[in-house]
């Protein structure tokens, strides 16, 4: 670089060029921060559920191979069970095209019910619309779980709401919520871990149970 001749000042930067390197205007900073914050917020919202649940499906952390569902506890005996602390477990097997047990699940009103749902074949849904927000995607290999307390007695519909094949729209079940003191047709025994509802033996699902179910639903 050459030294400027005597008397010459440092090269002057034209005013337009100077403006080009000026710091961001206040409005620009605000919008930049707002935009980046929104991106971070959206990523956090969608990422939270993933990381919170350790990347598992539908809040369940356990897995079961579809071929082993029928012989793996508790899915070898689908139904509802009363736990020692007074809460309930509802064990459900989803298959094309129905749910086991094929009888109504039966739980008492006001009790905390943990649903455990596994599929023996393809992706199914498990939804109890209207009365609850129970809405599970039942992915083969995963145990889908959620908890629900039923506030009102009644018989509520269970729907498969994931398209699973030609009989998808027949794939329904029911849960019966009985009032305190009410005797369900099959009274839930109070012993810990005793099945409260009878159920079709898991093998039934391999013998055209889906077709039976379709006729029942028609
Ligand atoms: Cu199962 Cu749709």
């Amino acid at each position: 670089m050459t030294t400027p001749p005597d008397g010459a000042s440092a090269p002057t930067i034209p005013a337009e060029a100077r403006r080009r390197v000026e710091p961001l205007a206040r409005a620009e900073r605000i919008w930049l921060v707002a935009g980046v914050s929104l991106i971070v917020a959206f990523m956090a919202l969608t990422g939270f559920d993933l990381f919170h649940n350790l990347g598992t499906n539908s809040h369940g952390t356990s897995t079961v191979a579809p071929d082993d569902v029928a012989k793996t506890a508790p899915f070898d005996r689908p139904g509802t069970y009363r736990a020692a602390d007074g809460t309930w477990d509802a064990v459900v097997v989803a298959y094309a095209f129905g749910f086991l047990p094929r009888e109504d699940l039966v739980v008492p009103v006001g009790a905390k019910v943990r649903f455990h749902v596994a599929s023996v074949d393809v992706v199914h849904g498990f939804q109890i619309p209207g009365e609850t927000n129970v809405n599970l995607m039942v992915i083969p290999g995963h145990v889908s779980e959620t908890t629900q307390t039923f506030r009102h007695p009644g018989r509520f519909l269970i729907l498969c709401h994931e398209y699973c094949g030609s009989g998808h729209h027949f794939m329904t079940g029911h849960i019966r919520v009985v009032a305190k003191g009410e005797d369900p047709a099959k009274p839930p025994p109070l012993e810990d871990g005793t099945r409260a509802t009878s159920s079709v033996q898991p093998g039934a699902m391999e013998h055209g149970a889906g077709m039976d179910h379709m006729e029942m639903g028609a």
Side-chain angles (χ1 to χ4, degrees):
M1 292 295 288
T2 55
T3 312
D6 273 352
S9 58
T12 48
I13 301 171
E16 312 87 79
R18 235 185 301 141
R19 267 200 293 279
R20 259 181 256 130
V21 295
E22 270 174 10
L24 296 171
R26 187 162 177 272
E28 283 178 299
R29 283 200 307 275
I30 290 171
W31 281 105
L32 261 181
V33 168
V36 171
S37 301
L38 276 177
I39 292 171
V40 171
F42 289 144
M43 289 174 73
L45 276 174
T46 51
F48 174 78
D49 196 58
L50 178 69
F51 292 111
H52 178 67
N53 297 302
L54 304 173
T56 57
N57 164 55
S58 295
H59 302 211
T61 51
S62 48
T63 57
V64 57
D67 289 343
D68 296 338
V69 167
K71 52 179 187 258
T72 302
F75 298 104
D76 55 342
R77 298 173 75 91
T80 46
Y81 300 82
R82 183 183 183 277
D85 62 358
T87 61
W88 284 69
D89 290 285
V91 179
V92 177
V93 172
Y95 64 94
F97 301 99
F99 297 104
L100 299 178
R102 285 160 73 191
E103 297 88 350
D104 293 3
L105 297 165
V106 181
V107 294
V109 71
K112 186 174 166 184
V113 182
R114 283 175 303 273
F115 288 91
H116 315 265
V117 191
S119 168
V120 298
D121 39 45
V122 296
V123 173
H124 295 283
F126 185 87
Q127 185 183 25
I128 308 176
E131 179 71 6
T132 75
N133 283 329
V134 170
N135 182 326
L136 296 173
M137 191 180 193
V138 188
I139 298 176
H142 283 268
V143 179
S144 300
E145 294 176 323
T146 191
T147 303
Q148 177 70 36
T149 300
F150 291 85
R151 300 290 173 201
H152 307 104
R155 187 168 184 256
F156 303 108
L157 185 66
I158 298 171
L159 282 179
C160 174
H161 63 306
E162 295 280 346
Y163 182 75
C164 53
S166 59
H168 160 71
H169 53 300
F170 296 115
M171 187 166 167
T172 58
H174 287 91
I175 183 162
R176 198 148 47 89
V177 180
V178 297
K180 282 197 172 67
E182 182 187 325
D183 234 14
K186 288 164 189 160
L190 297 181
E191 292 84 357
D192 175 30
T194 306
R195 291 170 66 222
T197 59
S198 64
S199 63
V200 169
Q201 287 308 301
M205 74 183 81
E206 288 149 20
H207 303 297
M211 291 305 293
D212 292 345
H213 199 92
M214 286 166 67
E215 283 152 24
M216 284 161 57

